[in-house]
Short mmCIF file of all heavy atoms in Angstrom, two decimals:
data_model
loop_
_atom_site.label_atom_id
_atom_site.label_comp_id
_atom_site.label_asym_id
_atom_site.label_seq_id
_atom_site.Cartn_x
_atom_site.Cartn_y
_atom_site.Cartn_z
N MET U 1 80.87 100.13 99.71
CA MET U 1 80.01 100.21 98.55
C MET U 1 80.29 98.99 97.66
O MET U 1 81.51 98.57 97.51
CB MET U 1 80.35 101.46 97.76
CG MET U 1 80.05 102.73 98.47
SD MET U 1 80.51 104.19 97.44
CE MET U 1 82.33 104.06 97.77
N LYS U 2 79.28 98.44 97.02
CA LYS U 2 79.45 97.32 96.22
C LYS U 2 78.95 97.74 94.80
O LYS U 2 77.98 98.47 94.67
CB LYS U 2 78.67 96.08 96.69
CG LYS U 2 79.24 95.59 97.95
CD LYS U 2 78.49 94.36 98.48
CE LYS U 2 79.06 93.87 99.73
NZ LYS U 2 78.34 92.71 100.28
N PHE U 3 79.62 97.20 93.81
CA PHE U 3 79.29 97.58 92.42
C PHE U 3 79.24 96.32 91.57
O PHE U 3 80.12 95.43 91.71
CB PHE U 3 80.33 98.51 91.78
CG PHE U 3 80.46 99.81 92.54
CD1 PHE U 3 81.37 99.99 93.53
CD2 PHE U 3 79.68 100.90 92.10
CE1 PHE U 3 81.46 101.22 94.15
CE2 PHE U 3 79.78 102.11 92.71
CZ PHE U 3 80.67 102.28 93.78
N ASP U 4 78.22 96.29 90.68
CA ASP U 4 78.18 95.26 89.63
C ASP U 4 78.82 95.94 88.41
O ASP U 4 78.33 97.03 87.97
CB ASP U 4 76.74 94.90 89.30
CG ASP U 4 76.63 94.04 88.06
OD1 ASP U 4 77.32 92.98 88.07
OD2 ASP U 4 75.93 94.41 87.14
N VAL U 5 79.89 95.38 87.93
CA VAL U 5 80.70 96.01 86.84
C VAL U 5 80.31 95.32 85.52
O VAL U 5 80.79 94.19 85.26
CB VAL U 5 82.15 95.96 87.09
CG1 VAL U 5 82.93 96.57 86.02
CG2 VAL U 5 82.49 96.63 88.48
N TYR U 6 79.44 95.92 84.79
CA TYR U 6 79.02 95.39 83.46
C TYR U 6 78.45 94.02 83.49
O TYR U 6 78.48 93.30 82.46
CB TYR U 6 80.19 95.48 82.47
CG TYR U 6 80.89 96.81 82.45
CD1 TYR U 6 82.31 96.86 82.60
CD2 TYR U 6 80.21 98.02 82.30
CE1 TYR U 6 82.98 98.07 82.54
CE2 TYR U 6 80.90 99.19 82.26
CZ TYR U 6 82.22 99.25 82.39
OH TYR U 6 82.94 100.45 82.35
N GLY U 7 77.96 93.57 84.62
CA GLY U 7 77.47 92.19 84.68
C GLY U 7 78.57 91.12 84.64
O GLY U 7 78.24 89.96 84.50
N ARG U 8 79.81 91.56 84.71
CA ARG U 8 80.94 90.61 84.55
C ARG U 8 81.60 90.41 85.83
O ARG U 8 82.22 89.29 86.02
CB ARG U 8 81.94 91.23 83.52
CG ARG U 8 81.37 91.24 82.14
CD ARG U 8 82.36 91.88 81.22
NE ARG U 8 81.88 91.71 79.84
CZ ARG U 8 82.56 91.22 78.85
NH1 ARG U 8 83.80 90.82 79.06
NH2 ARG U 8 82.05 91.12 77.68
N LEU U 9 81.72 91.35 86.76
CA LEU U 9 82.34 91.14 88.03
C LEU U 9 81.72 92.01 89.05
O LEU U 9 81.06 93.01 88.71
CB LEU U 9 83.84 91.40 87.87
CG LEU U 9 84.37 92.79 87.48
CD1 LEU U 9 85.08 93.44 88.63
CD2 LEU U 9 85.31 92.65 86.38
N SER U 10 81.94 91.68 90.34
CA SER U 10 81.45 92.46 91.40
C SER U 10 82.65 93.04 92.25
O SER U 10 83.61 92.25 92.46
CB SER U 10 80.58 91.67 92.32
OG SER U 10 79.41 91.23 91.67
N LEU U 11 82.58 94.27 92.57
CA LEU U 11 83.63 94.90 93.36
C LEU U 11 83.08 95.51 94.64
O LEU U 11 81.92 95.98 94.62
CB LEU U 11 84.31 96.00 92.57
CG LEU U 11 85.07 95.70 91.32
CD1 LEU U 11 85.62 96.91 90.63
CD2 LEU U 11 86.18 94.75 91.56
N GLU U 12 83.83 95.43 95.68
CA GLU U 12 83.48 96.14 96.94
C GLU U 12 84.56 97.18 97.13
O GLU U 12 85.79 96.85 97.07
CB GLU U 12 83.42 95.19 98.08
CG GLU U 12 82.98 95.93 99.40
CD GLU U 12 82.68 95.01 100.52
OE1 GLU U 12 83.12 93.84 100.56
OE2 GLU U 12 81.95 95.46 101.39
N VAL U 13 84.20 98.38 97.40
CA VAL U 13 85.14 99.53 97.61
C VAL U 13 84.92 100.00 99.05
O VAL U 13 83.81 100.38 99.41
CB VAL U 13 84.86 100.66 96.61
CG1 VAL U 13 85.80 101.77 96.84
CG2 VAL U 13 84.99 100.13 95.19
N LEU U 14 85.95 99.96 99.85
CA LEU U 14 85.94 100.41 101.23
C LEU U 14 86.89 101.57 101.46
O LEU U 14 87.98 101.63 100.87
CB LEU U 14 86.44 99.22 102.10
CG LEU U 14 85.63 97.92 101.98
CD1 LEU U 14 86.33 96.82 102.81
CD2 LEU U 14 84.16 98.11 102.44
N HIS U 15 86.40 102.50 102.28
CA HIS U 15 87.30 103.64 102.64
C HIS U 15 87.93 103.33 104.00
O HIS U 15 87.18 103.04 104.99
CB HIS U 15 86.50 104.92 102.76
CG HIS U 15 87.38 106.09 102.80
ND1 HIS U 15 87.78 106.65 104.01
CD2 HIS U 15 87.98 106.83 101.79
CE1 HIS U 15 88.56 107.66 103.78
NE2 HIS U 15 88.76 107.85 102.49
N THR U 16 89.23 103.23 104.01
CA THR U 16 89.98 102.97 105.31
C THR U 16 90.94 104.09 105.61
O THR U 16 90.97 105.08 104.86
CB THR U 16 90.78 101.67 105.07
OG1 THR U 16 91.87 101.91 104.23
CG2 THR U 16 89.95 100.49 104.57
N THR U 17 91.62 103.92 106.69
CA THR U 17 92.67 104.95 107.06
C THR U 17 93.74 105.06 105.99
O THR U 17 94.42 106.11 105.93
CB THR U 17 93.25 104.67 108.42
OG1 THR U 17 93.87 103.38 108.36
CG2 THR U 17 92.16 104.70 109.51
N ARG U 18 93.87 104.06 105.20
CA ARG U 18 94.89 104.07 104.10
C ARG U 18 94.41 104.59 102.83
O ARG U 18 95.12 104.70 101.82
CB ARG U 18 95.47 102.68 103.90
CG ARG U 18 96.27 102.10 105.10
CD ARG U 18 96.69 100.74 104.83
NE ARG U 18 95.62 99.88 104.56
CZ ARG U 18 95.25 98.81 105.32
NH1 ARG U 18 95.92 98.50 106.33
NH2 ARG U 18 94.20 98.10 104.89
N GLY U 19 93.05 104.93 102.75
CA GLY U 19 92.45 105.41 101.48
C GLY U 19 91.42 104.33 101.03
O GLY U 19 90.85 103.56 101.86
N TRP U 20 91.19 104.36 99.74
CA TRP U 20 90.21 103.39 99.14
C TRP U 20 90.80 102.09 98.91
O TRP U 20 91.96 101.99 98.37
CB TRP U 20 89.62 103.98 97.85
CG TRP U 20 88.85 105.18 98.06
CD1 TRP U 20 89.21 106.48 97.70
CD2 TRP U 20 87.50 105.32 98.56
NE1 TRP U 20 88.19 107.32 98.02
CE2 TRP U 20 87.13 106.72 98.51
CE3 TRP U 20 86.60 104.40 99.08
CZ2 TRP U 20 85.96 107.10 99.00
CZ3 TRP U 20 85.40 104.85 99.52
CH2 TRP U 20 85.02 106.20 99.46
N GLU U 21 90.14 100.95 99.32
CA GLU U 21 90.60 99.64 98.99
C GLU U 21 89.52 98.99 98.19
O GLU U 21 88.35 99.16 98.43
CB GLU U 21 90.85 98.86 100.32
CG GLU U 21 91.99 99.42 101.10
CD GLU U 21 92.28 98.59 102.37
OE1 GLU U 21 91.62 97.54 102.56
OE2 GLU U 21 93.11 99.06 103.16
N VAL U 22 89.93 98.18 97.18
CA VAL U 22 89.05 97.53 96.24
C VAL U 22 89.20 96.01 96.36
O VAL U 22 90.32 95.56 96.34
CB VAL U 22 89.29 98.00 94.83
CG1 VAL U 22 88.23 97.32 93.85
CG2 VAL U 22 89.19 99.53 94.71
N TYR U 23 88.07 95.31 96.45
CA TYR U 23 88.05 93.89 96.51
C TYR U 23 87.14 93.28 95.43
O TYR U 23 86.07 93.81 95.18
CB TYR U 23 87.56 93.42 97.89
CG TYR U 23 88.49 93.85 99.00
CD1 TYR U 23 88.34 95.08 99.64
CD2 TYR U 23 89.54 93.00 99.45
CE1 TYR U 23 89.16 95.48 100.63
CE2 TYR U 23 90.37 93.39 100.49
CZ TYR U 23 90.18 94.67 101.03
OH TYR U 23 91.02 94.97 102.02
N ARG U 24 87.51 92.21 94.82
CA ARG U 24 86.70 91.44 93.96
C ARG U 24 85.91 90.44 94.74
O ARG U 24 86.42 89.85 95.70
CB ARG U 24 87.51 90.64 92.94
CG ARG U 24 88.27 91.48 92.01
CD ARG U 24 89.01 90.66 90.94
NE ARG U 24 90.11 91.38 90.33
CZ ARG U 24 89.92 92.28 89.42
NH1 ARG U 24 88.73 92.60 88.95
NH2 ARG U 24 91.01 92.94 88.88
N LEU U 25 84.63 90.38 94.52
CA LEU U 25 83.76 89.46 95.20
C LEU U 25 83.50 88.26 94.36
O LEU U 25 82.83 88.37 93.31
CB LEU U 25 82.39 90.14 95.56
CG LEU U 25 82.54 91.47 96.36
CD1 LEU U 25 81.17 92.14 96.54
CD2 LEU U 25 83.17 91.18 97.70
N THR U 26 84.01 87.11 94.76
CA THR U 26 83.85 85.90 94.01
C THR U 26 83.56 84.74 94.97
O THR U 26 84.26 84.50 95.95
CB THR U 26 85.12 85.55 93.21
OG1 THR U 26 86.21 85.45 94.07
CG2 THR U 26 85.42 86.59 92.08
N ASP U 27 82.49 84.01 94.64
CA ASP U 27 82.10 82.82 95.49
C ASP U 27 82.09 83.16 97.00
O ASP U 27 82.62 82.30 97.78
CB ASP U 27 83.02 81.66 95.19
CG ASP U 27 83.02 81.21 93.73
OD1 ASP U 27 81.86 81.36 93.16
OD2 ASP U 27 84.05 80.87 93.20
N GLY U 28 81.60 84.31 97.36
CA GLY U 28 81.49 84.69 98.78
C GLY U 28 82.82 85.06 99.38
O GLY U 28 82.92 85.25 100.60
N LYS U 29 83.84 85.27 98.59
CA LYS U 29 85.16 85.67 99.15
C LYS U 29 85.48 87.06 98.68
O LYS U 29 85.05 87.54 97.59
CB LYS U 29 86.23 84.72 98.59
CG LYS U 29 86.10 83.28 99.03
CD LYS U 29 87.12 82.40 98.41
CE LYS U 29 86.90 80.97 98.77
NZ LYS U 29 87.90 80.05 98.15
N HIS U 30 86.30 87.76 99.49
CA HIS U 30 86.83 89.08 99.16
C HIS U 30 88.28 88.85 98.75
O HIS U 30 89.08 88.44 99.57
CB HIS U 30 86.75 90.03 100.33
CG HIS U 30 85.39 90.43 100.71
ND1 HIS U 30 84.44 89.60 101.22
CD2 HIS U 30 84.73 91.59 100.57
CE1 HIS U 30 83.33 90.26 101.49
NE2 HIS U 30 83.48 91.47 101.02
N VAL U 31 88.63 89.19 97.56
CA VAL U 31 90.00 89.11 97.09
C VAL U 31 90.46 90.47 96.67
O VAL U 31 89.82 91.16 95.87
CB VAL U 31 90.11 88.13 95.86
CG1 VAL U 31 91.55 88.05 95.36
CG2 VAL U 31 89.57 86.79 96.21
N ARG U 32 91.54 90.94 97.29
CA ARG U 32 92.03 92.27 97.04
C ARG U 32 92.36 92.44 95.59
O ARG U 32 93.01 91.66 94.93
CB ARG U 32 93.35 92.54 97.91
CG ARG U 32 93.93 93.87 97.76
CD ARG U 32 93.19 94.89 98.58
NE ARG U 32 93.67 96.23 98.27
CZ ARG U 32 94.41 96.87 99.10
NH1 ARG U 32 94.79 96.49 100.30
NH2 ARG U 32 94.76 98.13 98.72
N ALA U 33 91.85 93.58 94.97
CA ALA U 33 92.10 93.91 93.58
C ALA U 33 93.10 94.99 93.54
O ALA U 33 92.79 96.20 93.37
CB ALA U 33 90.78 94.38 92.96
N ASP U 34 94.38 94.53 93.66
CA ASP U 34 95.47 95.52 93.65
C ASP U 34 95.59 96.24 92.29
O ASP U 34 96.33 97.26 92.23
CB ASP U 34 96.85 94.78 94.04
CG ASP U 34 96.78 94.41 95.48
OD1 ASP U 34 96.25 95.09 96.28
OD2 ASP U 34 97.37 93.33 95.76
N ASP U 35 95.05 95.72 91.21
CA ASP U 35 95.09 96.35 89.95
C ASP U 35 94.13 97.52 89.72
O ASP U 35 94.18 98.23 88.77
CB ASP U 35 94.99 95.33 88.76
CG ASP U 35 93.63 94.58 88.87
OD1 ASP U 35 93.10 94.38 90.02
OD2 ASP U 35 93.17 94.13 87.83
N VAL U 36 93.26 97.69 90.66
CA VAL U 36 92.29 98.79 90.67
C VAL U 36 92.58 99.77 91.78
O VAL U 36 92.42 99.44 92.92
CB VAL U 36 90.81 98.28 90.85
CG1 VAL U 36 89.82 99.43 90.74
CG2 VAL U 36 90.45 97.21 89.73
N ILE U 37 93.14 100.90 91.41
CA ILE U 37 93.58 101.88 92.35
C ILE U 37 92.67 103.15 92.24
O ILE U 37 92.52 103.72 91.18
CB ILE U 37 95.06 102.27 92.15
CG1 ILE U 37 95.97 101.00 92.34
CG2 ILE U 37 95.50 103.40 93.11
CD1 ILE U 37 97.35 101.18 91.91
N ILE U 38 92.11 103.53 93.39
CA ILE U 38 91.25 104.70 93.45
C ILE U 38 91.99 105.79 94.22
O ILE U 38 92.53 105.47 95.36
CB ILE U 38 89.90 104.33 94.12
CG1 ILE U 38 89.17 103.37 93.25
CG2 ILE U 38 89.07 105.60 94.24
CD1 ILE U 38 87.87 102.80 93.88
N PRO U 39 92.15 106.99 93.70
CA PRO U 39 92.86 107.99 94.45
C PRO U 39 92.21 108.30 95.81
O PRO U 39 90.99 108.31 95.94
CB PRO U 39 92.71 109.28 93.51
CG PRO U 39 92.44 108.68 92.18
CD PRO U 39 91.67 107.39 92.40
N ALA U 40 93.06 108.44 96.79
CA ALA U 40 92.56 108.67 98.16
C ALA U 40 91.63 109.85 98.33
O ALA U 40 90.82 109.83 99.20
CB ALA U 40 93.76 108.82 99.12
N ASP U 41 91.82 110.85 97.50
CA ASP U 41 91.04 112.04 97.66
C ASP U 41 89.71 112.04 96.84
O ASP U 41 88.99 113.00 96.83
CB ASP U 41 91.84 113.31 97.28
CG ASP U 41 92.28 113.32 95.89
OD1 ASP U 41 92.25 112.22 95.20
OD2 ASP U 41 92.72 114.39 95.39
N MET U 42 89.38 110.91 96.20
CA MET U 42 88.17 110.78 95.45
C MET U 42 86.92 110.79 96.35
O MET U 42 86.96 110.08 97.35
CB MET U 42 88.24 109.54 94.57
CG MET U 42 86.94 109.39 93.75
SD MET U 42 87.22 108.52 92.23
CE MET U 42 88.35 109.62 91.37
N GLU U 43 85.89 111.50 95.98
CA GLU U 43 84.68 111.51 96.68
C GLU U 43 83.91 110.22 96.42
O GLU U 43 83.97 109.70 95.25
CB GLU U 43 83.83 112.72 96.26
CG GLU U 43 84.44 114.06 96.60
CD GLU U 43 84.46 114.37 98.06
OE1 GLU U 43 83.57 113.86 98.76
OE2 GLU U 43 85.47 115.07 98.47
N ALA U 44 83.16 109.71 97.37
CA ALA U 44 82.44 108.43 97.24
C ALA U 44 81.48 108.49 96.01
O ALA U 44 81.34 107.52 95.32
CB ALA U 44 81.72 108.14 98.54
N GLY U 45 80.83 109.60 95.82
CA GLY U 45 79.84 109.74 94.75
C GLY U 45 80.44 109.73 93.37
O GLY U 45 79.75 109.57 92.37
N ASP U 46 81.75 109.80 93.23
CA ASP U 46 82.45 109.78 91.96
C ASP U 46 83.01 108.43 91.63
O ASP U 46 83.59 108.25 90.49
CB ASP U 46 83.57 110.88 91.90
CG ASP U 46 82.99 112.25 92.05
OD1 ASP U 46 81.88 112.51 91.65
OD2 ASP U 46 83.77 113.14 92.63
N ILE U 47 82.94 107.50 92.49
CA ILE U 47 83.63 106.19 92.29
C ILE U 47 83.04 105.42 91.10
O ILE U 47 83.78 104.86 90.30
CB ILE U 47 83.68 105.40 93.54
CG1 ILE U 47 84.63 106.05 94.58
CG2 ILE U 47 84.12 103.97 93.31
CD1 ILE U 47 84.73 105.44 95.88
N ALA U 48 81.75 105.32 90.93
CA ALA U 48 81.16 104.54 89.87
C ALA U 48 81.64 105.08 88.52
O ALA U 48 82.01 104.40 87.60
CB ALA U 48 79.64 104.60 89.92
N GLU U 49 81.63 106.40 88.31
CA GLU U 49 82.11 107.04 87.12
C GLU U 49 83.64 106.74 86.87
O GLU U 49 84.05 106.46 85.79
CB GLU U 49 81.89 108.51 87.08
CG GLU U 49 82.28 109.20 85.82
CD GLU U 49 81.94 110.74 85.84
OE1 GLU U 49 81.26 111.18 86.70
OE2 GLU U 49 82.44 111.36 84.89
N TYR U 50 84.43 106.81 88.00
CA TYR U 50 85.83 106.55 87.88
C TYR U 50 86.03 105.08 87.44
O TYR U 50 86.84 104.84 86.58
CB TYR U 50 86.47 106.81 89.21
CG TYR U 50 87.97 106.49 89.22
CD1 TYR U 50 88.89 107.40 88.66
CD2 TYR U 50 88.43 105.32 89.78
CE1 TYR U 50 90.22 107.14 88.67
CE2 TYR U 50 89.81 105.05 89.78
CZ TYR U 50 90.73 105.96 89.21
OH TYR U 50 92.02 105.69 89.21
N LEU U 51 85.31 104.17 88.06
CA LEU U 51 85.43 102.73 87.66
C LEU U 51 85.13 102.55 86.18
O LEU U 51 85.71 101.78 85.52
CB LEU U 51 84.55 101.84 88.50
CG LEU U 51 85.02 101.73 89.97
CD1 LEU U 51 83.93 100.96 90.86
CD2 LEU U 51 86.39 101.02 90.05
N ASP U 52 84.05 103.25 85.71
CA ASP U 52 83.65 103.15 84.32
C ASP U 52 84.80 103.68 83.42
O ASP U 52 85.10 103.06 82.38
CB ASP U 52 82.36 103.97 84.05
CG ASP U 52 81.87 103.73 82.70
OD1 ASP U 52 81.77 102.59 82.19
OD2 ASP U 52 81.53 104.79 82.00
N ASP U 53 85.44 104.79 83.80
CA ASP U 53 86.61 105.34 83.06
C ASP U 53 87.74 104.34 83.05
O ASP U 53 88.38 104.14 81.98
CB ASP U 53 87.03 106.63 83.58
CG ASP U 53 86.11 107.79 83.39
OD1 ASP U 53 85.21 107.71 82.48
OD2 ASP U 53 86.26 108.82 84.12
N LEU U 54 87.95 103.67 84.13
CA LEU U 54 89.05 102.77 84.27
C LEU U 54 88.79 101.40 83.54
O LEU U 54 89.76 100.84 82.98
CB LEU U 54 89.28 102.53 85.80
CG LEU U 54 90.61 101.80 86.22
CD1 LEU U 54 91.82 102.65 85.88
CD2 LEU U 54 90.53 101.51 87.68
N LEU U 55 87.54 100.88 83.66
CA LEU U 55 87.32 99.57 83.17
C LEU U 55 86.55 99.43 81.88
O LEU U 55 86.11 98.40 81.51
CB LEU U 55 86.59 98.83 84.32
CG LEU U 55 87.40 98.70 85.61
CD1 LEU U 55 86.43 98.17 86.69
CD2 LEU U 55 88.59 97.85 85.44
N HIS U 56 86.32 100.57 81.21
CA HIS U 56 85.40 100.56 80.02
C HIS U 56 85.83 99.62 78.95
O HIS U 56 84.95 99.21 78.14
CB HIS U 56 85.30 102.01 79.53
CG HIS U 56 86.52 102.48 78.80
ND1 HIS U 56 87.55 103.04 79.52
CD2 HIS U 56 86.97 102.43 77.49
CE1 HIS U 56 88.54 103.38 78.69
NE2 HIS U 56 88.16 102.97 77.45
N GLU U 57 87.04 99.21 78.94
CA GLU U 57 87.46 98.32 77.83
C GLU U 57 86.86 96.90 77.91
O GLU U 57 86.83 96.19 76.93
CB GLU U 57 88.99 98.20 77.78
CG GLU U 57 89.62 99.54 77.34
CD GLU U 57 91.12 99.52 77.33
OE1 GLU U 57 91.72 98.46 77.48
OE2 GLU U 57 91.71 100.54 77.09
N ILE U 58 86.37 96.55 79.11
CA ILE U 58 85.71 95.21 79.23
C ILE U 58 84.19 95.26 79.06
O ILE U 58 83.55 94.25 79.18
CB ILE U 58 86.07 94.48 80.55
CG1 ILE U 58 85.49 95.26 81.76
CG2 ILE U 58 87.59 94.29 80.68
CD1 ILE U 58 85.56 94.52 83.03
N SER U 59 83.70 96.46 78.75
CA SER U 59 82.25 96.61 78.63
C SER U 59 81.79 96.26 77.17
O SER U 59 82.58 96.28 76.26
CB SER U 59 81.79 98.00 78.98
OG SER U 59 82.18 98.92 77.97
N ARG U 60 80.52 95.95 77.08
CA ARG U 60 79.89 95.72 75.82
C ARG U 60 78.86 96.89 75.62
O ARG U 60 78.55 97.54 76.57
CB ARG U 60 79.14 94.37 75.81
CG ARG U 60 80.13 93.20 75.95
CD ARG U 60 79.37 91.94 76.19
NE ARG U 60 78.75 92.12 77.51
CZ ARG U 60 78.52 91.11 78.33
NH1 ARG U 60 78.75 89.83 77.97
NH2 ARG U 60 77.92 91.28 79.49
N PRO U 61 78.41 97.09 74.43
CA PRO U 61 77.43 98.16 74.19
C PRO U 61 76.23 98.02 75.17
O PRO U 61 75.70 96.92 75.34
CB PRO U 61 77.02 97.98 72.74
CG PRO U 61 78.21 97.34 72.12
CD PRO U 61 78.73 96.48 73.18
N GLY U 62 75.85 99.09 75.84
CA GLY U 62 74.73 99.06 76.75
C GLY U 62 75.06 98.67 78.19
O GLY U 62 74.21 98.76 79.06
N ASP U 63 76.29 98.14 78.43
CA ASP U 63 76.67 97.75 79.73
C ASP U 63 76.89 99.01 80.67
O ASP U 63 77.29 100.10 80.14
CB ASP U 63 78.02 96.94 79.77
CG ASP U 63 77.88 95.50 79.27
OD1 ASP U 63 76.65 95.05 79.13
OD2 ASP U 63 78.89 94.88 79.04
N ARG U 64 76.65 98.82 81.95
CA ARG U 64 76.90 99.92 82.85
C ARG U 64 77.40 99.38 84.22
O ARG U 64 77.32 98.16 84.53
CB ARG U 64 75.60 100.74 83.15
CG ARG U 64 74.34 100.26 82.66
CD ARG U 64 73.19 101.08 82.89
NE ARG U 64 72.42 100.41 83.92
CZ ARG U 64 71.74 100.99 84.95
NH1 ARG U 64 71.67 102.22 84.99
NH2 ARG U 64 71.06 100.31 85.75
N ILE U 65 77.83 100.27 84.98
CA ILE U 65 78.25 99.94 86.38
C ILE U 65 77.16 100.40 87.26
O ILE U 65 76.67 101.53 87.18
CB ILE U 65 79.58 100.63 86.72
CG1 ILE U 65 80.73 100.09 85.86
CG2 ILE U 65 79.90 100.47 88.17
CD1 ILE U 65 82.10 100.68 86.08
N VAL U 66 76.73 99.46 88.11
CA VAL U 66 75.56 99.74 89.03
C VAL U 66 76.02 99.54 90.46
O VAL U 66 76.57 98.53 90.79
CB VAL U 66 74.40 98.74 88.69
CG1 VAL U 66 73.26 99.00 89.64
CG2 VAL U 66 74.00 98.87 87.22
N GLU U 67 75.71 100.53 91.26
CA GLU U 67 75.98 100.41 92.71
C GLU U 67 74.93 99.52 93.30
O GLU U 67 73.72 99.70 93.03
CB GLU U 67 75.98 101.74 93.42
CG GLU U 67 76.40 101.65 94.82
CD GLU U 67 76.63 102.93 95.53
OE1 GLU U 67 76.56 103.99 94.88
OE2 GLU U 67 76.99 102.92 96.76
N LEU U 68 75.33 98.51 94.01
CA LEU U 68 74.36 97.51 94.60
C LEU U 68 74.03 98.01 96.03
O LEU U 68 74.66 98.68 96.69
CB LEU U 68 75.07 96.17 94.68
CG LEU U 68 75.51 95.57 93.34
CD1 LEU U 68 76.21 94.36 93.50
CD2 LEU U 68 74.33 95.41 92.40
#
């Protein structure tokens, strides 16, 4: 799953055998985002809301997280 986070950054979230892994997408590269940890038991449909709870401090009024 890919997310546009408040128009400021793009994240890709992958489910692997180790759980959820998060990558920042910059200039066509995937860079592991070790500072964003998603609980392994989280349902895929809840990830956008979880990211909003986790990253809301970088948002501006009216910003949202959009799944791409």
Side-chain angles (χ1 to χ4, degrees):
M1 296 176 283
K2 294 181 182 179
F3 296 93
D4 172 58
V5 180
Y6 310 128
R8 294 176 172 233
L9 61 113
S10 295
L11 297 178
E12 183 170 22
V13 179
L14 303 173
H15 193 268
T16 70
T17 57
R18 296 180 300 244
W20 295 105
E21 294 182 5
V22 181
Y23 296 88
R24 293 184 200 283
L25 304 175
T26 56
D27 299 325
K29 298 178 185 177
H30 289 71
V31 178
R32 181 78 189 254
D34 291 325
D35 57 332
V36 180
I37 299 170
I38 299 175
D41 62 345
M42 179 151 299
E43 297 291 328
D46 296 331
I47 290 178
E49 183 177 349
Y50 179 80
L51 290 172
D52 187 46
D53 289 343
L54 191 66
L55 301 170
H56 70 274
E57 292 180 8
I58 67 168
S59 71
R60 296 169 293 211
D63 284 352
R64 9 178 253 145
I65 294 179
V66 178
E67 186 171 358
L68 303 174

